Amino acid sequence: MWWPSPATDACWRAAVSEPRILVLGGTTEASEFARRLSDAGIAVVLSLAGRTARPVVPTVDVRVGGFGGIAGLERYLQEAGVTAVIDATHPFAARMAANAAAAATAAAVPRLKLLRPGWSAREGDRWTAWPTPTALAAALPAGARIFLAMGRQDLASFAGRSDCRFLLRTVDPLPAEILPAGATAILGRGPFTLEDEEDLLRRHEIDLVVSRNAGGTGAAAKLTAARRLGLPVWLVERPAPPPGPLAATVDEAFAWARKLMS
Ligand code: NAP
């Protein structure tokens, strides 16, 4: 793994001459896809926002930090000789997805969105869908004990609900000032087993699970645990991806990239 300083990043940009694929990451699929390209001998750089202190990433070139909006990403694509962009960011990373679409169009670089399918309810699930975290937060029953499996950027929506009790689990510690009043914060890095999740929900006497419809397998066990315990789950729906080609799996994205390079 290579962690460039701004200086070495500039040297790399100057030195690079071969075509390469930029993978916008922060997800398991992004890392898997980058590894797959690298194993196939395709030059790849994996980009991370830098939100996680010790990210788990494959042994490919990695760059860390924002690009500086659409213009910054467009400049990066041109200077680094990027031949294709795979946006494999999280389904709720809407700003990065929009920026990637706009910058790739401006730089005339092909772009694909790798978007894993959302979760669908099964028999026995007690799910309710909500358009936004704010709408969901406003409807929470007073006194509820909630497992709040949301992104840190969504926590402000729950700040006014001091009449509820929240349990949060994050990879890195959260600053106390962004936690809803009376929240319990614990640390944990997925994937979690069904047993882990059932134990967590029981131990904290949770009566409602709140999450975004992120999809994927890494965070799905809490939904199965909720079903088994008969608990309701409230899910925030995903934002629509920008227009353009979509792949649902790493295999599909890989086929798209191979076709592009043939
Ligand atoms: P966001 O709101 O869509 O993006 C905010 C800004 O962060 C972007 O404008 C960009 O800064 C920078 N950024 C985001 N992803 C980046 C990447 N892969 N490489 C370089 N810069 C990136 O994103 P977010 O929701 O804060 O998510 C940040 C990262 O965490 C993403 O990589 C995402 O895949 C990952 N993640 C997000 C969630 C979630 O719940 N949203 C969950 C798990 C993982 P500039 O404008 O300066 O370029």
Side-chain angles (χ1 to χ4, degrees):
M1 186 177 59
W2 178 53
W3 297 95
S5 66
T8 56
D9 201 16
C11 293
W12 169 71
R13 282 201 304 270
V16 77
S17 56
E18 60 180 315
R20 68 170 53 208
I21 291 187
L22 174 67
V23 179
L24 300 172
T27 59
T28 314
E29 305 82 76
S31 296
E32 194 186 325
F33 178 67
R35 185 186 301 113
R36 186 95 176 263
L37 289 177
S38 177
D39 288 350
I42 300 170
V44 56
V45 59
L46 175 63
S47 176
L48 303 177
R51 304 277 194 275
T52 307
R54 288 176 303 285
V56 178
V57 288
T59 48
V60 300
D61 286 352
V62 173
R63 67 162 300 286
V64 182
F67 295 95
I70 297 168
L73 179 54
E74 182 188 351
R75 198 164 44 248
Y76 178 90
L77 296 179
Q78 288 162 342
E79 290 178 1
V82 171
T83 45
V85 177
I86 310 293
D87 170 12
T89 53
H90 190 269
F92 282 80
R95 178 134 56 99
M96 189 68 248
N99 288 1
T105 301
V109 171
R111 173 197 59 92
L112 175 79
K113 174 81 189 158
L114 170 51
L115 185 65
R116 63 194 183 211
W119 292 313
S120 312
R122 296 193 10 204
E123 197 180 333
D125 281 327
R126 298 171 57 201
W127 291 9
T128 307
W130 296 90
T132 62
T134 309
L136 186 156
L140 289 172
R145 293 183 300 274
I146 298 154
F147 178 32
L148 191 58
M150 301 287 282
R152 60 184 290 163
Q153 66 276 30
D154 297 320
L155 297 184
S157 301
F158 298 86
R161 295 308 308 264
S162 52
D163 54 338
C164 297
R165 280 178 33 207
F166 296 103
L167 170 69
L168 287 93
R169 179 178 60 196
T170 54
V171 174
D172 296 314
L174 291 174
E177 61 272 17
I178 73 166
L179 294 175
T184 302
I186 59 171
L187 296 180
R189 190 193 286 264
F192 302 99
T193 67
L194 182 53
E195 290 69 31
D196 291 337
E197 300 300 59
E198 279 198 33
D199 179 56
L200 184 82
L201 298 178
R202 277 211 185 89
R203 224 165 353 103
H204 291 270
E205 300 178 330
I206 297 299
D207 47 34
L208 173 63
V209 174
V210 168
S211 175
R212 295 162 304 176
N213 192 340
T217 53
K222 62 178 173 285
L223 305 175
T224 311
R227 183 192 314 132
R228 283 171 54 145
L229 297 175
L231 297 178
V233 176
W234 287 11
L235 287 172
V236 178
E237 290 167 339
R238 299 160 156 221
L246 285 174
T249 63
V250 168
D251 280 349
E252 280 180 30
F254 189 69
W256 182 88
R258 286 304 287 260
K259 193 165 170 210
L260 199 70
M261 301 192 77
S262 62

PDB file of all heavy atoms in Angstrom, residues 24-27 47-49 51 63 65-69 89-90 92-96 99 153 212, ligand 1:
ATOM      1  N   LEU A  24     -13.089   5.197  -7.077  1.00  0.00           N
ATOM      2  CA  LEU A  24     -13.497   5.990  -5.916  1.00  0.00           C
ATOM      3  C   LEU A  24     -14.049   5.017  -4.887  1.00  0.00           C
ATOM      4  O   LEU A  24     -15.037   4.320  -5.150  1.00  0.00           O
ATOM      5  CB  LEU A  24     -14.550   7.020  -6.334  1.00  0.00           C
ATOM      6  CG  LEU A  24     -14.063   8.012  -7.397  1.00  0.00           C
ATOM      7  CD1 LEU A  24     -15.216   8.864  -7.905  1.00  0.00           C
ATOM      8  CD2 LEU A  24     -12.965   8.904  -6.838  1.00  0.00           C
ATOM      9  N   GLY A  25     -13.404   4.974  -3.735  1.00  0.00           N
ATOM     10  CA  GLY A  25     -13.663   3.877  -2.809  1.00  0.00           C
ATOM     11  C   GLY A  25     -14.338   4.265  -1.511  1.00  0.00           C
ATOM     12  O   GLY A  25     -15.113   5.217  -1.439  1.00  0.00           O
ATOM     13  N   GLY A  26     -14.002   3.494  -0.500  1.00  0.00           N
ATOM     14  CA  GLY A  26     -14.648   3.660   0.798  1.00  0.00           C
ATOM     15  C   GLY A  26     -15.650   2.550   1.060  1.00  0.00           C
ATOM     16  O   GLY A  26     -16.394   2.605   2.042  1.00  0.00           O
ATOM     17  N   THR A  27     -15.678   1.553   0.155  1.00  0.00           N
ATOM     18  CA  THR A  27     -16.593   0.417   0.317  1.00  0.00           C
ATOM     19  C   THR A  27     -15.812  -0.884   0.108  1.00  0.00           C
ATOM     20  O   THR A  27     -14.723  -0.875  -0.480  1.00  0.00           O
ATOM     21  CB  THR A  27     -17.729   0.460  -0.730  1.00  0.00           C
ATOM     22  OG1 THR A  27     -17.126   0.442  -2.034  1.00  0.00           O
ATOM     23  CG2 THR A  27     -18.591   1.691  -0.593  1.00  0.00           C
ATOM     24  N   SER A  47      -9.022   5.656  -4.499  1.00  0.00           N
ATOM     25  CA  SER A  47      -9.128   6.933  -3.795  1.00  0.00           C
ATOM     26  C   SER A  47     -10.054   6.812  -2.589  1.00  0.00           C
ATOM     27  O   SER A  47     -11.180   6.327  -2.704  1.00  0.00           O
ATOM     28  CB  SER A  47      -9.682   7.999  -4.751  1.00  0.00           C
ATOM     29  OG  SER A  47      -9.878   9.205  -4.045  1.00  0.00           O
ATOM     30  N   LEU A  48      -9.576   7.270  -1.447  1.00  0.00           N
ATOM     31  CA  LEU A  48     -10.373   7.260  -0.213  1.00  0.00           C
ATOM     32  C   LEU A  48     -10.555   8.693   0.271  1.00  0.00           C
ATOM     33  O   LEU A  48      -9.648   9.522   0.117  1.00  0.00           O
ATOM     34  CB  LEU A  48      -9.655   6.458   0.877  1.00  0.00           C
ATOM     35  CG  LEU A  48      -9.310   5.001   0.547  1.00  0.00           C
ATOM     36  CD1 LEU A  48      -8.542   4.382   1.720  1.00  0.00           C
ATOM     37  CD2 LEU A  48     -10.573   4.202   0.258  1.00  0.00           C
ATOM     38  N   ALA A  49     -11.709   8.942   0.896  1.00  0.00           N
ATOM     39  CA  ALA A  49     -11.970  10.286   1.415  1.00  0.00           C
ATOM     40  C   ALA A  49     -11.087  10.594   2.622  1.00  0.00           C
ATOM     41  O   ALA A  49     -10.785  11.748   2.903  1.00  0.00           O
ATOM     42  CB  ALA A  49     -13.440  10.412   1.782  1.00  0.00           C
ATOM     43  N   ARG A  51     -11.908   9.346   5.795  1.00  0.00           N
ATOM     44  CA  ARG A  51     -12.770   9.429   6.990  1.00  0.00           C
ATOM     45  C   ARG A  51     -12.376   8.424   8.069  1.00  0.00           C
ATOM     46  O   ARG A  51     -12.595   8.664   9.246  1.00  0.00           O
ATOM     47  CB  ARG A  51     -14.225   9.146   6.623  1.00  0.00           C
ATOM     48  CG  ARG A  51     -14.796  10.026   5.559  1.00  0.00           C
ATOM     49  CD  ARG A  51     -15.283  11.354   6.140  1.00  0.00           C
ATOM     50  NE  ARG A  51     -16.108  12.019   5.151  1.00  0.00           N
ATOM     51  CZ  ARG A  51     -15.651  12.784   4.178  1.00  0.00           C
ATOM     52  NH1 ARG A  51     -14.357  13.003   4.075  1.00  0.00           N
ATOM     53  NH2 ARG A  51     -16.478  13.343   3.308  1.00  0.00           N
ATOM     54  N   ARG A  63      -4.661   6.829  -2.902  1.00  0.00           N
ATOM     55  CA  ARG A  63      -4.551   8.258  -2.581  1.00  0.00           C
ATOM     56  C   ARG A  63      -5.660   8.579  -1.580  1.00  0.00           C
ATOM     57  O   ARG A  63      -6.719   7.936  -1.594  1.00  0.00           O
ATOM     58  CB  ARG A  63      -4.640   9.141  -3.832  1.00  0.00           C
ATOM     59  CG  ARG A  63      -6.010   9.103  -4.481  1.00  0.00           C
ATOM     60  CD  ARG A  63      -6.268  10.259  -5.420  1.00  0.00           C
ATOM     61  NE  ARG A  63      -6.198  11.560  -4.780  1.00  0.00           N
ATOM     62  CZ  ARG A  63      -7.129  12.047  -3.966  1.00  0.00           C
ATOM     63  NH1 ARG A  63      -8.198  11.330  -3.638  1.00  0.00           N
ATOM     64  NH2 ARG A  63      -7.008  13.258  -3.460  1.00  0.00           N
ATOM     65  N   GLY A  65      -7.993  11.648   0.526  1.00  0.00           N
ATOM     66  CA  GLY A  65      -8.439  13.032   0.692  1.00  0.00           C
ATOM     67  C   GLY A  65      -9.259  13.502  -0.491  1.00  0.00           C
ATOM     68  O   GLY A  65      -9.185  12.930  -1.585  1.00  0.00           O
ATOM     69  N   GLY A  66     -10.060  14.550  -0.256  1.00  0.00           N
ATOM     70  CA  GLY A  66     -10.917  15.099  -1.301  1.00  0.00           C
ATOM     71  C   GLY A  66     -10.086  15.679  -2.447  1.00  0.00           C
ATOM     72  O   GLY A  66      -8.897  15.975  -2.290  1.00  0.00           O
ATOM     73  N   PHE A  67     -10.739  15.851  -3.589  1.00  0.00           N
ATOM     74  CA  PHE A  67     -10.065  16.380  -4.779  1.00  0.00           C
ATOM     75  C   PHE A  67     -10.229  17.899  -4.871  1.00  0.00           C
ATOM     76  O   PHE A  67      -9.558  18.544  -5.667  1.00  0.00           O
ATOM     77  CB  PHE A  67     -10.670  15.750  -6.041  1.00  0.00           C
ATOM     78  CG  PHE A  67     -10.439  14.270  -6.130  1.00  0.00           C
ATOM     79  CD1 PHE A  67     -11.408  13.383  -5.674  1.00  0.00           C
ATOM     80  CD2 PHE A  67      -9.267  13.756  -6.660  1.00  0.00           C
ATOM     81  CE1 PHE A  67     -11.217  12.016  -5.767  1.00  0.00           C
ATOM     82  CE2 PHE A  67      -9.066  12.387  -6.742  1.00  0.00           C
ATOM     83  CZ  PHE A  67     -10.045  11.514  -6.291  1.00  0.00           C
ATOM     84  N   GLY A  68     -11.161  18.447  -4.095  1.00  0.00           N
ATOM     85  CA  GLY A  68     -11.458  19.868  -4.212  1.00  0.00           C
ATOM     86  C   GLY A  68     -12.601  20.107  -5.190  1.00  0.00           C
ATOM     87  O   GLY A  68     -12.482  20.947  -6.094  1.00  0.00           O
ATOM     88  N   GLY A  69     -13.672  19.356  -5.010  1.00  0.00           N
ATOM     89  CA  GLY A  69     -14.874  19.564  -5.817  1.00  0.00           C
ATOM     90  C   GLY A  69     -14.715  19.076  -7.252  1.00  0.00           C
ATOM     91  O   GLY A  69     -13.759  18.370  -7.587  1.00  0.00           O
ATOM     92  N   THR A  89     -18.213   4.396  -4.585  1.00  0.00           N
ATOM     93  CA  THR A  89     -18.455   4.950  -3.255  1.00  0.00           C
ATOM     94  C   THR A  89     -19.768   4.391  -2.693  1.00  0.00           C
ATOM     95  O   THR A  89     -20.564   3.780  -3.407  1.00  0.00           O
ATOM     96  CB  THR A  89     -18.516   6.497  -3.286  1.00  0.00           C
ATOM     97  OG1 THR A  89     -19.464   6.898  -4.271  1.00  0.00           O
ATOM     98  CG2 THR A  89     -17.150   7.090  -3.592  1.00  0.00           C
ATOM     99  N   HIS A  90     -19.968   4.653  -1.428  1.00  0.00           N
ATOM    100  CA  HIS A  90     -21.157   4.168  -0.713  1.00  0.00           C
ATOM    101  C   HIS A  90     -22.436   4.699  -1.376  1.00  0.00           C
ATOM    102  O   HIS A  90     -22.431   5.828  -1.889  1.00  0.00           O
ATOM    103  CB  HIS A  90     -21.053   4.654   0.736  1.00  0.00           C
ATOM    104  CG  HIS A  90     -22.048   4.052   1.659  1.00  0.00           C
ATOM    105  ND1 HIS A  90     -23.283   4.629   1.886  1.00  0.00           N
ATOM    106  CD2 HIS A  90     -21.996   2.941   2.408  1.00  0.00           C
ATOM    107  CE1 HIS A  90     -23.941   3.886   2.754  1.00  0.00           C
ATOM    108  NE2 HIS A  90     -23.193   2.853   3.084  1.00  0.00           N
ATOM    109  N   PHE A  92     -24.874   6.090  -0.277  1.00  0.00           N
ATOM    110  CA  PHE A  92     -25.332   7.365   0.284  1.00  0.00           C
ATOM    111  C   PHE A  92     -24.292   8.484   0.132  1.00  0.00           C
ATOM    112  O   PHE A  92     -24.510   9.583   0.637  1.00  0.00           O
ATOM    113  CB  PHE A  92     -25.737   7.187   1.751  1.00  0.00           C
ATOM    114  CG  PHE A  92     -27.108   6.551   1.897  1.00  0.00           C
ATOM    115  CD1 PHE A  92     -27.262   5.180   1.769  1.00  0.00           C
ATOM    116  CD2 PHE A  92     -28.237   7.326   2.119  1.00  0.00           C
ATOM    117  CE1 PHE A  92     -28.511   4.584   1.874  1.00  0.00           C
ATOM    118  CE2 PHE A  92     -29.500   6.748   2.224  1.00  0.00           C
ATOM    119  CZ  PHE A  92     -29.635   5.368   2.098  1.00  0.00           C
ATOM    120  N   ALA A  93     -23.191   8.206  -0.540  1.00  0.00           N
ATOM    121  CA  ALA A  93     -22.178   9.257  -0.781  1.00  0.00           C
ATOM    122  C   ALA A  93     -22.604  10.037  -2.030  1.00  0.00           C
ATOM    123  O   ALA A  93     -21.965   9.976  -3.082  1.00  0.00           O
ATOM    124  CB  ALA A  93     -20.793   8.636  -0.928  1.00  0.00           C
ATOM    125  N   ALA A  94     -23.675  10.811  -1.891  1.00  0.00           N
ATOM    126  CA  ALA A  94     -24.312  11.431  -3.065  1.00  0.00           C
ATOM    127  C   ALA A  94     -23.471  12.555  -3.666  1.00  0.00           C
ATOM    128  O   ALA A  94     -23.470  12.755  -4.877  1.00  0.00           O
ATOM    129  CB  ALA A  94     -25.690  11.959  -2.665  1.00  0.00           C
ATOM    130  N   ARG A  95     -22.779  13.286  -2.799  1.00  0.00           N
ATOM    131  CA  ARG A  95     -21.992  14.417  -3.335  1.00  0.00           C
ATOM    132  C   ARG A  95     -20.855  13.911  -4.206  1.00  0.00           C
ATOM    133  O   ARG A  95     -20.613  14.408  -5.305  1.00  0.00           O
ATOM    134  CB  ARG A  95     -21.460  15.286  -2.184  1.00  0.00           C
ATOM    135  CG  ARG A  95     -20.598  16.440  -2.671  1.00  0.00           C
ATOM    136  CD  ARG A  95     -20.940  17.755  -2.016  1.00  0.00           C
ATOM    137  NE  ARG A  95     -20.868  17.684  -0.573  1.00  0.00           N
ATOM    138  CZ  ARG A  95     -19.828  18.104   0.146  1.00  0.00           C
ATOM    139  NH1 ARG A  95     -18.762  18.583  -0.446  1.00  0.00           N
ATOM    140  NH2 ARG A  95     -19.851  18.042   1.462  1.00  0.00           N
ATOM    141  N   MET A  96     -20.133  12.903  -3.709  1.00  0.00           N
ATOM    142  CA  MET A  96     -19.011  12.375  -4.486  1.00  0.00           C
ATOM    143  C   MET A  96     -19.506  11.790  -5.801  1.00  0.00           C
ATOM    144  O   MET A  96     -18.862  11.951  -6.844  1.00  0.00           O
ATOM    145  CB  MET A  96     -18.266  11.314  -3.666  1.00  0.00           C
ATOM    146  CG  MET A  96     -16.958  10.870  -4.289  1.00  0.00           C
ATOM    147  SD  MET A  96     -15.676  12.154  -4.301  1.00  0.00           S
ATOM    148  CE  MET A  96     -15.528  12.508  -6.037  1.00  0.00           C
ATOM    149  N   ASN A  99     -20.247  14.654  -8.110  1.00  0.00           N
ATOM    150  CA  ASN A  99     -18.989  15.278  -8.551  1.00  0.00           C
ATOM    151  C   ASN A  99     -18.276  14.405  -9.575  1.00  0.00           C
ATOM    152  O   ASN A  99     -17.723  14.901 -10.554  1.00  0.00           O
ATOM    153  CB  ASN A  99     -18.048  15.506  -7.355  1.00  0.00           C
ATOM    154  CG  ASN A  99     -18.518  16.632  -6.453  1.00  0.00           C
ATOM    155  OD1 ASN A  99     -19.554  17.234  -6.718  1.00  0.00           O
ATOM    156  ND2 ASN A  99     -17.765  16.913  -5.409  1.00  0.00           N
ATOM    157  N   GLN A 153     -22.892  11.994   9.385  1.00  0.00           N
ATOM    158  CA  GLN A 153     -23.467  13.205   8.798  1.00  0.00           C
ATOM    159  C   GLN A 153     -24.977  13.282   9.011  1.00  0.00           C
ATOM    160  O   GLN A 153     -25.573  14.320   8.807  1.00  0.00           O
ATOM    161  CB  GLN A 153     -23.109  13.311   7.306  1.00  0.00           C
ATOM    162  CG  GLN A 153     -23.703  12.242   6.412  1.00  0.00           C
ATOM    163  CD  GLN A 153     -22.886  10.956   6.373  1.00  0.00           C
ATOM    164  OE1 GLN A 153     -22.217  10.582   7.333  1.00  0.00           O
ATOM    165  NE2 GLN A 153     -22.941  10.255   5.264  1.00  0.00           N
ATOM    166  N   ARG A 212     -29.873   3.151   7.132  1.00  0.00           N
ATOM    167  CA  ARG A 212     -30.098   3.521   5.740  1.00  0.00           C
ATOM    168  C   ARG A 212     -30.126   2.242   4.914  1.00  0.00           C
ATOM    169  O   ARG A 212     -29.495   1.264   5.297  1.00  0.00           O
ATOM    170  CB  ARG A 212     -28.965   4.429   5.255  1.00  0.00           C
ATOM    171  CG  ARG A 212     -28.946   5.751   5.999  1.00  0.00           C
ATOM    172  CD  ARG A 212     -27.632   6.407   5.820  1.00  0.00           C
ATOM    173  NE  ARG A 212     -26.566   5.506   6.259  1.00  0.00           N
ATOM    174  CZ  ARG A 212     -25.286   5.773   6.160  1.00  0.00           C
ATOM    175  NH1 ARG A 212     -24.902   6.899   5.646  1.00  0.00           N
ATOM    176  NH2 ARG A 212     -24.392   4.916   6.588  1.00  0.00           N
TER     177      ARG A 212
HETATM  178  P1  NAP B   1     -19.946  12.569   0.149  1.00  0.00           P
HETATM  179  O1  NAP B   1     -20.759  13.367   1.093  1.00  0.00           O
HETATM  180  O2  NAP B   1     -20.586  12.118  -1.105  1.00  0.00           O
HETATM  181  O3  NAP B   1     -18.628  13.355  -0.265  1.00  0.00           O
HETATM  182  C1  NAP B   1     -18.159  14.485   0.442  1.00  0.00           C
HETATM  183  C2  NAP B   1     -16.788  14.834  -0.078  1.00  0.00           C
HETATM  184  O4  NAP B   1     -15.821  13.885   0.387  1.00  0.00           O
HETATM  185  C3  NAP B   1     -16.662  14.775  -1.586  1.00  0.00           C
HETATM  186  O5  NAP B   1     -17.163  15.955  -2.189  1.00  0.00           O
HETATM  187  C4  NAP B   1     -15.163  14.616  -1.752  1.00  0.00           C
HETATM  188  O6  NAP B   1     -14.463  15.817  -1.467  1.00  0.00           O
HETATM  189  C5  NAP B   1     -14.826  13.672  -0.598  1.00  0.00           C
HETATM  190  N1  NAP B   1     -14.866  12.266  -0.993  1.00  0.00           N
HETATM  191  C6  NAP B   1     -15.884  11.375  -0.845  1.00  0.00           C
HETATM  192  N2  NAP B   1     -15.526  10.159  -1.277  1.00  0.00           N
HETATM  193  C7  NAP B   1     -14.249  10.287  -1.710  1.00  0.00           C
HETATM  194  C8  NAP B   1     -13.321   9.368  -2.260  1.00  0.00           C
HETATM  195  N3  NAP B   1     -13.625   8.063  -2.432  1.00  0.00           N
HETATM  196  N4  NAP B   1     -12.091   9.846  -2.604  1.00  0.00           N
HETATM  197  C9  NAP B   1     -11.776  11.147  -2.411  1.00  0.00           C
HETATM  198  N5  NAP B   1     -12.611  12.055  -1.877  1.00  0.00           N
HETATM  199  C10 NAP B   1     -13.827  11.631  -1.537  1.00  0.00           C
HETATM  200  O7  NAP B   1     -19.321  11.305   0.878  1.00  0.00           O
HETATM  201  P2  NAP B   1     -19.551  10.770   2.374  1.00  0.00           P
HETATM  202  O8  NAP B   1     -20.938  10.278   2.481  1.00  0.00           O
HETATM  203  O9  NAP B   1     -19.020  11.794   3.333  1.00  0.00           O
HETATM  204  O10 NAP B   1     -18.588   9.495   2.332  1.00  0.00           O
HETATM  205  C11 NAP B   1     -17.184   9.668   2.379  1.00  0.00           C
HETATM  206  C12 NAP B   1     -16.509   8.354   2.048  1.00  0.00           C
HETATM  207  O11 NAP B   1     -16.910   7.360   2.965  1.00  0.00           O
HETATM  208  C13 NAP B   1     -16.842   7.821   0.651  1.00  0.00           C
HETATM  209  O12 NAP B   1     -15.645   7.356   0.096  1.00  0.00           O
HETATM  210  C14 NAP B   1     -17.795   6.687   0.893  1.00  0.00           C
HETATM  211  O13 NAP B   1     -17.650   5.653  -0.070  1.00  0.00           O
HETATM  212  C15 NAP B   1     -17.398   6.224   2.281  1.00  0.00           C
HETATM  213  N6  NAP B   1     -18.530   5.716   3.054  1.00  0.00           N
HETATM  214  C16 NAP B   1     -19.620   6.499   3.198  1.00  0.00           C
HETATM  215  C17 NAP B   1     -20.694   6.021   3.910  1.00  0.00           C
HETATM  216  C18 NAP B   1     -21.932   6.864   4.064  1.00  0.00           C
HETATM  217  O14 NAP B   1     -22.776   6.474   4.865  1.00  0.00           O
HETATM  218  N7  NAP B   1     -22.111   7.963   3.347  1.00  0.00           N
HETATM  219  C19 NAP B   1     -20.642   4.748   4.491  1.00  0.00           C
HETATM  220  C20 NAP B   1     -19.494   3.958   4.322  1.00  0.00           C
HETATM  221  C21 NAP B   1     -18.444   4.473   3.594  1.00  0.00           C
HETATM  222  P3  NAP B   1     -14.025  16.836  -2.643  1.00  0.00           P
HETATM  223  O15 NAP B   1     -15.268  17.537  -3.062  1.00  0.00           O
HETATM  224  O16 NAP B   1     -13.014  17.697  -1.979  1.00  0.00           O
HETATM  225  O17 NAP B   1     -13.436  16.009  -3.750  1.00  0.00           O
END
